[in-house]
Amino acid sequence: QVQLVESGGGLVQAGGSLRLSCAASGRAFSRYTMVWFRQSPGKEREFVAAIHWNGYSTYYVDSVKGRFFISRDNAKNTVDLQMNSLKPEDTAVYYCTADVKVRNWPPMNSYKAYEYWGQGTQVTVSS
């Protein structure tokens, strides 16, 4: 079982930046692909970014490429999401999750493929 706690959300103006962090429990963290999703009211949870357990391979949804950057620290069991040039359409609750089934890369982009979720952190971008 994996416990996940997200932090770092807040209110920011369009064009601004935020850095989200996810702290994970468990000794197997370094074996898992870690993934960020987001969910806006009335919409399905959307894949945002993922990082391979090796820390080098990353994968982004097209809408955030070049603006968001995912990183991880396996020694600290954390995964971060640096979000730059934020837009109002980035407003959502952001969640992290872990691919505990250790599937092949690239990662599954459906939220239904993942079992464990944190409580989420709200990101609001004003225009």
Side-chain angles (χ1 to χ4, degrees):
Q1 191 171 3
V2 178
Q3 292 182 323
L4 302 158
V5 179
E6 302 94 338
S7 61
L11 173 64
V12 64
Q13 288 188 332
S17 297
L18 280 175
R19 188 175 184 89
L20 306 183
S21 188
C22 173
S25 67
R27 290 177 290 179
F29 173 84
S30 61
R31 296 173 51 203
Y32 302 147
T33 286
M34 296 298 296
V35 188
W36 284 95
F37 280 79
R38 64 186 179 187
Q39 189 167 20
S40 304
K43 293 188 176 181
E44 198 166 86
R45 197 165 292 191
E46 174 193 30
F47 174 93
V48 177
I51 186 165
H52 194 272
W53 59 263
N54 65 18
Y56 296 108
S57 298
T58 57
Y59 193 78
Y60 299 92
V61 68
D62 285 347
S63 60
V64 308
K65 283 181 180 176
R67 299 190 298 122
F68 290 14
F69 300 94
I70 189 171
S71 60
R72 68 189 295 159
D73 186 334
N74 286 341
K76 296 182 179 179
N77 278 20
T78 58
V79 57
D80 290 350
L81 185 67
Q82 176 66 42
M83 306 187 297
N84 301 325
S85 302
L86 282 161
K87 304 176 181 179
E89 51 263 45
D90 295 319
T91 295
V93 178
Y94 283 71
Y95 300 90
C96 72
T97 187
D99 181 10
V100 299
K101 294 184 178 179
V102 195
R103 286 170 284 221
N104 291 331
W105 188 262
M108 301 289 287
N109 62 5
S110 169
Y111 71 94
K112 298 177 182 179
Y114 300 92
E115 300 177 50
Y116 300 105
W117 298 91
Q119 82 289 348
T121 186
Q122 176 71 49
V123 172
T124 303
V125 184
S126 63
S127 56

